[in-house]
Amino acid sequence: MKQTLWTLAALLSHWRRRPGNLATLVAGLAVATALWSGVQALNAQARMSYDAATAAISGGGARTLVAARGGLFDQDLFVKLRRAGVDVSPVLEGAARIGDKTIRIIGVEPVSLPRASPIAHKRKRADVLEDFFSGEGRGFAAPQTMRRLGLAEGAQPQTERGRRLPPLAALAEAPPGAIVVDIGVAQRLLDRPGALSRLVIADDAAPDDERVKRVAGEALRLVAADDESELARLTDSFHLNLTAFGFLAFLVGLFIVHAAYGLAFEQRLPTLRTLRALGVAPPNLVVAMACEVAVLTLVAGGAGVIGGYAIAQALLPDVAKSLESLYGAQISESLSLDLRWFLSGLVMAGAGAVLAAASGFAKALRLPPLSVARPIAWRAEHHRYLRRQAALAFLALVAAACAYGSGEGLASGFAMIGCSLLAAALFLPVALAGALALGERLARRPLARWFFADGRQEISGLSLALMALLIALAANIGVGGMVEGFRQTFTRWLDARLAAEIYFEAATPADARDIEAWMRMQKDISAILPVWRAKTRIGEGPVEIVGMTPHETYAAHFPLLEAAPDVWTALHAEDAVLVSEQLARRRGVGLGAVIGIPTSTQVWRARIVGIFPDYGNPKGQLRIDHERLKRYFDDASGVHYGLRIASDATARVIDNMQRRFDGKIARIIDQSELKGLSTDVFERTFAVTTALSTLTLVVSGVALFASLLTLSDMRQARIAPVWALGATRRKLAGLELMRVMAFAAVAAICATPLGLFMTWCLVAIVNVAAFGWRLPFHVFPSQWLVVFLIALCAAFLAALVPVARLARAAPTDLLKVFSNER
Amino acid sequence: MSIHATPEHLEATWKAAPMLRVEGLCKSYSTPQGAIPVLRGVGFTLAAGASLALTGESGSGKSTLLHLVGALDDADAGEIFLDDARLTLLSEHARAAVRREKIGVVFQQFNLIPSLTVTENLGFQARLAGRYDSAWQDELTHRLGLTELSGRYPEELSGGQQQRVAIGRALAVRPKLLLADEPTGNLDEASGDKVMTLALDLVAATGCGFLMATHSERLAARLQRRVRLESGLLAPQ
C-alpha cells in the first residue's frame, strides 16, 4: 500500500512541474464529458417531461382507451362503458394559443381519475377541488408554465378562439406546458362539445379487449401502460440524432485525453523506468497509474458534468422550441436532473479516461527497468506504428462496409459514419508519413531535408490531435453540407408549398362558414382554398388527412416527388390519394399502390397517385379530395383556409377580416410571416446540431494546442542540434509553424471527401431512417474553403504559443539538451 | 564513528561468507546479424562490506553484468545468489522487492526523477522499501553537501550534484549491495575523486557490499579488489 502511495506521489509530482499539461488533460476530459453529459441532460429533461405529461393524468401505470383510428371519439362511449361497469375516466386534450404561446389544454374529470394520478392526490385539497366544479371552475398549471405564459395566480387569459379560461392556480403536479381544467370546460375551450381524446382506466379494473369490444365495438383500442407514449416514439429519432452528435463530440474530446495522457506517458517514461529500477513491481505501477486516472476522473469528470449542465441549460430553449414546433411536445425549460445523471456523467468520464490510458497501463505492465539502446529503434517502431495504423484503418473500413450491408436503419447509418471517420483518422498518419517521405526524397537543401525527416518523427506525437482535427473538420463539412442542402431544399419547398397569400384559422366551424360566405363576395380574393384536416391511424402511426379542392394553384405549385400523369384529375375524380414521402417509406408503398385508410365509418381504399415531400412533419400525411374528406371524416376540423389574392391586397384583406370578424378568427397570417416562422423552426431545429459540430471543432483545436504544448519540451531535444549547427531560432520557429500548418492543411484536404461522404450518409441513410425523407445531395465548395481556412487558423492559433516559446528560447535552455542528454 | 575501514576489518570481510555469489553467468544480445555474446560464464563472489571494481573496455559487458546482478535484466544462463536468494529463480514481483530493499544502484546517467526535489529523490527508494529514516537521510544530505540544494529539482543541478543525489538515494535505503555503473563517467577528474571519496566513506559506514563498473584504472585502484572483463570472461588482476 505504502509502495503504491509513494509511486503515486512520484507520478503526480510530474504534473506539479507541468501544470499546463495537467490543465489540458483535465480540460480535455472535462470538455468531452461536458458535451456528452450536456446532450444526455437535454434528452433526460425531454423524456422526463414526456413521462410527467403522461403520468400527471394517468399516474404512469394506467392503461388507456383511445379512438381506434386516432383523433377524438364521442363521450357517449364513456357513458356506455361506465354503465357497463368499466371504471374509466375521460380526458380531452387539445392545443390552444394564449398570446403567442401554444399551450395544451387537458380536460379531466377529477372524481374518476385513477388514484395513482398525482393530480388525483390533490383531490384532498377540498378548497381547490370545490373550485374545480363550482362557479367558473379552476385551471391548474405548473408554476413554470405560468411563468412562461407570464400569468399570475387567478389570471383568466383568453385563447385564440376568444374563450376565457377559468382562474388559474399553480399546481406543481400539472404536466409542463399544459393547463388542466374540468372536462366540460375543456370541451368549451377547444370547441369540442361531447368529444373525448382518451379514457384512463382505473388500475384495479383494467378490462380486457373483448369486454371493451362488446361495449364500444371497433371504435376504441386499448393502449398498454408500458407502451411507449406517442410523443416519445415520435421524438425518438430527434433524441437519437442528438445522442449521436453528443457521442461524436465525446469521441473527439477523448482524442485530447488520449493525446495528453499518451504524451505524458512518454514524458514520464524515464521516471517509470527509474521507478521500476528502484523496485516498484509492474502491478504496483499500474495500480498507482489507475489511482491517478481515478483522481483525474473525479476532478475532470466532475467539472465536465457541471459544464454539461451549463451547455444543456444554454441549448435547452432551442431544443424545447424545436420539439414544440416539430412534435408539439412541451418540455420544461429549466433543468431538473437527478443524481443518476451526475453519476452517469462521471462513469462516462471514467470510461473515457481508462480507454485513453489503457495503452499506457499495458505498456507499464510490460515495461522493463532497462531501456536497451538501439540505433534503429525509432525507425523500426515508426514502421510498426504505421503498419498497425494501416491495418486498423482497413478493419474500420471493412466494418463500415459491413454496416452498409447490414441494412438502412439509423444504427447502421451512424455505424457507417463512425467507422468511416475512424478509418480515415487512422489512415491519416500513414498518408502524412508518405507525403513527408516523398518530400524528404525530393528535397535538395539540407534544412529542407531535415524539415521533412524531422516531421516524420513528429507524426506519432501529433497524430491523435490531427486525427481529432480530421474528424472534427469532416463532421463540420458533413453536417454543414447536410444542413445547407436541407436549407436550400426546404426554402424551395416552402416557396412552392405555401402558395396562398393568406392563411387563417377560424375559431369554430360555424365561424368558418360565416367568414367563407363573406369571402365569396370579396373581389380581392381570387380563390378560397379550404385546408380541412382530419386524423386517422395507419398501422401503428398517426396520420393527418388534409383536403384539397380542385384548383390550378395546386397543379402549378404543390411540390410532388413522384406523380401519375393524370395526378390532379385522378385525385378529385377517383378514389385516389397523395401520400407524404415519410408515410410512403414507412408503409413501403409507391405510386399506383392501393392503401387502406380508416375513416369515420369504414376503411376507404384509395390508389396512390402522387408522393409529396413533407419536411418537418413527424406524422404521416395524406392529401385527398376536399369533398371526400367531408364525406368520409365527419369529425374533420373545418377551420383552416388558404386564400389567393393579389399580393398588393394582402394587408388590406387581413385588416378587413380582423375588423369584421375579430373573435371569429383564431389566427390569420400572411405568406411571408408563415414562411418566416417555418424558417425559424428550421433554424432552431439545426441550431443544436450546428452548435455541437462547432464545439467539436473547438475541441479538436484544443487537442492540437494540448499536443503541441506537451510536445514543445520534447521538441527542444530535436531542434537544439540543428540550432547548434547554425540555424537561427527564428528560422526554426518558422519551420515549426509551417510544419503544423501543413499537417492541418493535409487533414483539411482529407476531411473534404470524408465530409462529403458523411453528408451522403446523413442525407441518404440517417435522415431517411430518422425522419422518412430523402433530400437531394448538394455540394458547397465555398464551405470547403471556409473549413480549410478554419483548419489553418486553428493550427496557427494552436502552434502560436509553443512556436513563440521556441523563438524566444534562451540559448541556455537549448544547451541543457546537450548537458542533460539521457 | 570511523568511516575508514581498518586492514584487519578488510581482511575479515574478504574471508567472510560471500553476500553475493555469481556463477557461470551468460548473456547475449540478439541483433539482425545474429546473437552477440557479451558474458560467457562469469563468476565471482563478494562479501558483505567488501568492494570490487569491474574494469574493461567500452562494450566489454561491465554494465550488462551490473544490470544482471542488480536484478534489472535476465541472464541467459548461470546463477546469482544475493544473501542466499537465488535471483535467477525469482518472480518479477520478488525481483522488484530485492531491488527495492537490498540493492542500491548508481547509474551513469543518474536517473533521478525529474519532477521530485533533491530531498524527495533522496528519500524515495527508502520510502518505497518502508525503511525511511529521517536521521539517516539528514546525515546523508549533510555528508553529500546537499543541504543547500534540498529544494531544487534535478535539472537545476550540475552533473556532480546530481551524481551525489544518486549516491545518496542508493544508500538511503541501507542496501546490502551498492552497484555503481561508471559513477563518475560524466564528471571531471577532481569532481569524480570527491564523489568517489564520499561514496567509499558512506559504503564503509553502511557496511554494504560495493560493486563498481569503471573504465578508469585509477578509480578501480581505490577499491579492495578489482577484476577485468575481457571477451565476456573475468580476468583477475
Side-chain angles (χ1 to χ4, degrees):
Chain A
M1 183 64 185
K2 247 185 179 173
Q3 196 193 134
T4 306
L5 283 177
W6 282 110
T7 307
L8 177 63
L11 290 176
L12 291 177
S13 68
H14 170 83
W15 304 114
R16 193 170 64 195
R17 301 285 287 157
R18 289 182 168 80
N21 293 356
L22 176 64
T24 46
L25 183 60
V26 170
L29 192 54
V31 168
T33 312
L35 289 172
W36 168 257
S37 52
V39 164
Q40 289 312 307
L42 290 171
N43 285 342
Q45 187 60 49
R47 294 208 168 99
M48 258 164 59
S49 295
Y50 307 152
D51 291 346
T54 311
I57 307 303
S58 64
R63 300 200 293 171
T64 52
L65 288 165
V66 297
R69 62 171 185 84
L72 305 178
F73 57 91
D74 201 299
Q75 70 180 16
D76 282 351
L77 286 173
F78 161 64
V79 177
K80 280 185 196 167
L81 283 167
R82 290 290 287 199
R83 281 184 184 149
V86 183
D87 195 1
V88 287
S89 181
V91 177
L92 173 66
E93 283 186 60
R97 272 193 303 281
I98 295 176
D100 60 346
K101 303 274 194 317
T102 303
I103 195 87
R104 211 151 46 100
I105 300 289
I106 304 177
V108 296
E109 203 279 295
V111 174
S112 60
L113 269 183
R115 281 192 297 277
S117 158
I119 288 177
H121 277 295
K122 295 292 161 185
R123 283 187 299 210
K124 288 170 189 158
R125 285 167 53 180
D127 52 334
V128 172
L129 193 67
E130 261 177 40
D131 282 353
F132 216 86
F133 298 114
S134 60
E136 54 196 342
R138 181 68 89 153
F140 296 101
Q144 63 185 62
T145 309
M146 304 269 285
R147 278 197 298 277
R148 191 170 76 92
L149 295 170
L151 298 173
E153 286 257 350
Q156 281 191 270
Q158 263 192 335
T159 67
E160 80 282 11
R161 294 183 172 87
R163 310 275 199 247
R164 189 166 291 284
L165 268 78
L168 294 183
L171 182 69
E173 289 77 9
I179 294 176
V180 182
V181 293
D182 177 67
I183 191 121
V185 176
Q187 287 173 335
R188 180 178 59 81
L189 290 173
L190 298 168
D191 197 32
R192 294 290 187 191
L196 299 178
S197 307
R198 56 195 162 104
L199 297 172
V200 181
I201 299 167
D203 23 8
D204 51 354
D208 56 25
D209 273 348
E210 287 306 312
R211 195 167 166 202
V212 172
K213 266 183 193 163
R214 267 203 311 278
V215 181
E218 296 292 328
L220 298 178
R221 71 186 170 88
L222 201 59
V223 179
D226 53 354
D227 275 4
E228 200 181 17
S229 76
E230 193 111 289
L231 205 51
R233 198 165 47 236
L234 282 175
T235 54
D236 257 357
S237 301
F238 183 90
H239 293 298
L240 184 64
N241 268 338
L242 218 53
T243 303
F245 281 107
F247 191 63
L248 178 68
F250 178 74
L251 278 186
V252 171
L254 275 196
F255 274 93
I256 304 183
V257 186
H258 201 301
Y261 196 84
L263 289 171
F265 183 85
E266 291 300 322
Q267 280 177 338
R268 290 193 290 187
L269 203 53
T271 299
L272 295 177
R273 285 191 197 285
T274 302
L275 288 172
R276 290 279 291 110
L278 294 179
V280 176
N284 292 70
L285 196 57
V286 172
V287 169
M289 288 168 77
C291 289
E292 185 189 36
V293 167
V295 173
L296 277 173
T297 299
L298 281 177
V299 175
V305 175
I306 292 166
Y309 190 90
I311 289 176
Q313 192 77 62
L315 294 177
L316 189 61
D318 274 334
V319 171
K321 290 210 166 56
S322 291
L323 285 167
E324 184 184 341
S325 313
L326 285 172
Y327 306 100
Q330 303 279 341
I331 69 167
S332 166
E333 286 193 24
S334 61
L335 289 169
S336 53
L337 299 159
D338 56 13
L339 189 66
R340 269 179 310 177
W341 169 79
F342 184 83
L343 290 178
S344 71
L346 277 188
V347 167
M348 201 67 179
V354 167
L355 200 68
S359 66
F361 290 175
K363 279 182 195 166
L365 267 178
R366 296 192 308 264
L367 187 72
L370 292 175
S371 169
V372 182
R374 282 179 299 162
I376 56 161
W378 172 78
R379 204 162 288 277
E381 177 62 31
H382 186 64
H383 282 134
R384 265 200 302 278
Y385 164 73
L386 291 179
R387 273 200 300 274
R388 193 173 60 233
Q389 291 287 111
L392 288 173
F394 178 73
L395 284 178
L397 213 56
V398 170
C402 290
Y404 181 67
S406 70
E408 294 192 340
L410 208 51
S412 79
F414 281 126
M416 210 171 131
I417 290 174
C419 290
S420 47
L421 282 178
L422 193 63
L426 288 166
F427 194 73
L428 181 67
V430 183
L432 277 172
L436 287 167
L438 184 67
E440 191 180 344
R441 258 206 303 278
L442 296 176
R444 288 284 166 270
R445 299 174 65 181
L447 204 55
R449 282 184 72 83
W450 171 81
F451 174 79
F452 288 111
D454 189 58
R456 287 168 69 190
Q457 279 203 293
E458 205 180 356
I459 286 177
S460 56
L462 273 184
S463 61
L464 280 166
L466 290 170
M467 287 182 207
L469 184 66
L470 172 75
I471 290 178
L473 292 172
N476 229 272
I477 292 174
V479 173
M482 186 271 285
V483 172
E484 194 51 42
F486 197 2
R487 182 178 284 119
Q488 287 192 6
T489 308
F490 185 77
T491 309
R492 275 199 294 270
W493 170 79
L494 212 57
D495 283 341
R497 181 79 171 255
L498 300 179
E501 281 71 23
I502 293 176
Y503 291 87
F504 81 93
E505 182 187 345
T508 65
D511 294 335
R513 300 303 91 76
D514 288 351
I515 299 169
E516 206 177 333
W518 174 84
M519 286 189 301
R520 292 195 195 287
M521 295 183 292
Q522 303 305 307
K523 280 188 209 144
D524 284 335
I525 300 173
S526 60
I528 301 165
L529 304 173
V531 198
W532 292 17
R533 294 154 197 271
K535 287 177 183 171
T536 191
R537 291 185 74 83
I538 297 181
E540 284 302 303
V543 173
E544 275 179 339
I545 317 277
V546 180
M548 293 173 110
T549 46
H551 194 269
E552 62 187 15
T553 298
Y554 294 120
H557 299 285
F558 193 83
L560 289 168
L561 295 169
E562 290 177 67
D566 56 344
V567 52
W568 296 110
T569 316
L571 182 69
H572 300 293
E574 301 171 15
D575 284 330
V577 67
L578 303 179
V579 181
S580 71
E581 182 189 10
Q582 44 269 53
L583 180 60
R585 282 188 195 280
R586 201 187 312 143
R587 304 296 304 158
V589 292
L591 216 56
V594 173
I595 186 167
I597 304 163
T599 68
S600 299
T601 52
Q602 59 179 356
V603 174
W604 174 48
R605 302 187 67 76
R607 181 168 68 96
I608 297 172
V609 291
I611 294 173
F612 61 93
D614 196 23
Y615 306 123
N617 186 356
K619 294 176 184 167
Q621 194 178 80
L622 293 171
R623 294 262 171 168
I624 64 173
D625 176 62
H626 178 66
E627 293 305 321
R628 284 196 175 77
L629 179 89
K630 286 202 287 187
R631 195 159 64 242
Y632 292 141
F633 297 92
D634 49 21
D635 58 347
S637 80
V639 291
H640 296 92
Y641 290 85
L643 303 179
R644 296 307 314 264
I645 51 176
S647 57
D648 59 347
T650 306
R652 189 170 59 240
V653 171
I654 289 178
D655 191 45
N656 281 345
M657 287 177 74
Q658 279 174 332
R659 271 193 290 111
R660 190 175 182 85
F661 297 104
D662 189 26
K664 291 187 174 183
I665 294 175
R667 197 177 195 200
I668 186 161
I669 191 165
D670 69 22
Q671 187 195 69
S672 61
E673 197 184 341
L674 186 53
K675 279 180 186 168
L677 286 175
S678 304
T679 311
D680 187 47
V681 171
F682 175 90
E683 296 298 344
R684 282 185 183 281
T685 303
F686 287 102
V688 179
T689 312
T690 310
L692 284 175
S693 139
T694 307
L695 281 173
T696 308
L697 197 59
V698 171
V699 168
S700 72
V702 175
L704 197 59
F705 173 72
S707 300
L708 288 169
L709 200 64
T710 314
L711 277 176
S712 64
D713 289 344
M714 298 154 101
R715 293 287 302 148
Q716 280 199 352
R718 295 198 193 133
I719 287 165
V722 188
W723 165 76
L725 294 175
T728 63
R729 281 169 293 164
R730 185 179 288 268
K731 175 139 193 151
L732 289 168
L735 286 173
E736 284 289 293
L737 186 61
M738 197 197 299
R739 183 185 296 127
V740 173
M741 291 184 69
F743 284 170
V746 172
I749 289 167
C750 292
T752 307
L754 188 63
L756 284 178
F757 178 71
M758 188 171 168
T759 305
W760 180 83
C761 288
L762 288 170
V763 164
I765 300 173
V766 173
N767 276 351
V768 175
F771 305 112
W773 56 70
R774 179 165 184 167
L775 303 164
F777 182 73
H778 294 283
V779 290
F780 302 98
S782 60
Q783 196 188 46
W784 310 342
L785 185 66
V786 170
V787 168
F788 185 79
L789 292 176
I790 287 174
L792 291 188
C793 283
F796 180 79
L797 291 175
L800 211 53
V801 174
V803 164
R805 262 169 45 171
L806 173 63
R808 291 203 308 268
T812 44
D813 290 336
L814 292 168
L815 285 169
K816 269 187 194 167
V817 171
F818 304 108
S819 55
N820 285 329
E821 273 182 327
R822 290 187 62 180
Chain B
M1 179 174 67
S2 166
I3 55 170
H4 287 284
T6 61
E8 292 78 8
H9 171 69
L10 294 178
E11 185 71 23
T13 54
W14 290 343
K15 289 176 179 171
M19 177 259 308
L20 171 69
R21 185 153 52 93
V22 176
E23 293 171 356
L25 210 55
C26 295
K27 178 75 179 175
S28 58
Y29 290 113
S30 55
T31 68
Q33 289 75 36
I36 299 176
V38 180
L39 301 177
R40 297 188 298 170
V42 171
F44 66 93
T45 59
L46 185 70
S51 62
L52 174 65
L54 202 57
T55 62
E57 290 173 0
S58 295
S60 60
K62 301 187 295 292
S63 295
T64 301
L65 180 54
L66 235 55
H67 292 156
L68 294 177
V69 172
L72 290 162
D73 201 358
D74 293 320
D76 297 339
E79 295 294 349
I80 303 166
F81 296 91
L82 179 64
D83 256 1
D84 292 332
R86 199 169 167 183
L87 294 191
T88 42
L89 289 185
L90 294 182
S91 68
E92 177 56 40
H93 197 266
R95 280 148 61 93
V98 167
R99 281 203 303 274
R100 195 163 61 233
E101 291 160 13
K102 295 190 173 177
I103 299 173
V105 186
V106 181
F107 295 95
Q108 185 177 5
Q109 301 293 349
F110 323 131
N111 285 22
L112 300 178
I113 296 174
S115 51
L116 298 182
T117 62
V118 166
T119 305
E120 289 165 342
N121 264 292
L122 270 177
F124 191 76
Q125 187 177 356
R127 287 185 192 278
L128 275 184
R131 285 198 205 157
Y132 181 72
D133 175 345
S134 61
W136 175 231
Q137 167 137 343
D138 288 346
E139 190 178 338
L140 281 174
T141 308
H142 175 68
R143 285 193 187 180
L144 290 164
L146 297 171
T147 311
E148 299 298 313
L149 308 173
S150 56
R152 293 202 195 168
Y153 288 94
E155 67 187 36
E156 297 164 347
L157 304 178
S158 69
Q161 289 166 336
Q162 288 192 49
Q163 192 62 301
R164 279 187 275 151
V165 179
I167 291 169
R169 180 179 69 185
L171 290 171
V173 74
R174 294 186 188 274
K176 293 273 183 189
L177 175 64
L178 177 66
L179 302 174
D181 188 5
E182 303 280 9
T184 60
N186 285 319
L187 307 180
D188 61 73
E189 200 166 286
S191 303
D193 279 345
K194 273 188 197 167
V195 167
M196 199 60 212
T197 304
L198 265 175
L200 286 172
D201 282 354
L202 289 166
V203 164
T206 55
C208 66
F210 182 27
L211 178 61
M212 177 178 75
T214 178
H215 59 264
S216 163
E217 295 296 337
R218 198 173 52 80
L219 275 186
R222 299 183 64 177
L223 272 60
Q224 294 163 345
R225 282 194 298 156
R226 56 178 159 167
V227 287
R228 186 173 175 79
L229 256 175
E230 279 178 2
S231 307
L233 291 168
L234 280 184
Q237 289 185 308

